[in-house]
Amino acid sequence: MKKGKLEPQPILTYPAYTERQGQFLAYIHQYSMVNGCAPAEADMQRFFEITPPSVHSMVLTLERRGLIRRVPGQARSITLMVPPESLPPLKRVQR
């Protein structure tokens, strides 16, 4: 670096997930912390009050985007691939 020259500042990036995806990631993290294992899709269905196909679609999307990893054929094998400190606070579902 030459004297008097400023280094370019890094560009701040937005989260690599939508608000809804962030809520699923936050839920997976919180559930894992409390229960010692990842949630089943049925757990997410009950919490978010959505249909099983909607939960499964979200899990596939999170996996495809590299935000989670799963072991095929193994139950409760979801692992977060993002740092927990980057997750949004988990919001309570409005009824």
Side-chain angles (χ1 to χ4, degrees), residues 7-64:
E7 288 290 315
Q9 294 297 312
I11 297 172
L12 297 176
T13 57
Y14 293 101
Y17 48 81
T18 66
E19 182 178 342
R20 184 77 167 151
Q21 291 167 353
Q23 286 300 294
F24 271 81
L25 295 169
Y27 177 78
I28 292 166
H29 175 67
Q30 290 294 322
Y31 186 99
S32 299
M33 295 297 294
V34 170
N35 297 291
C37 64
E41 289 187 11
D43 298 318
M44 292 183 265
Q45 176 193 346
R46 281 187 296 276
F47 182 82
F48 290 105
E49 299 178 347
I50 58 177
T51 65
S54 295
V55 172
H56 188 66
S57 176
M58 178 61 78
V59 169
L60 293 177
T61 297
L62 295 174
E63 185 175 34
R64 188 172 48 252

Side-chain angles (χ1 to χ4, degrees), residues 28 31-32 36-41 43-44 59 63 67-81:
I28 292 166
Y31 186 99
S32 299
C37 64
E41 289 187 11
D43 298 318
M44 292 183 265
V59 169
E63 185 175 34
L67 300 168
I68 64 170
R69 185 175 55 213
R70 297 182 307 152
V71 177
Q74 183 178 338
R76 298 181 182 268
S77 64
I78 296 173
T79 304
L80 284 180
M81 302 307 292

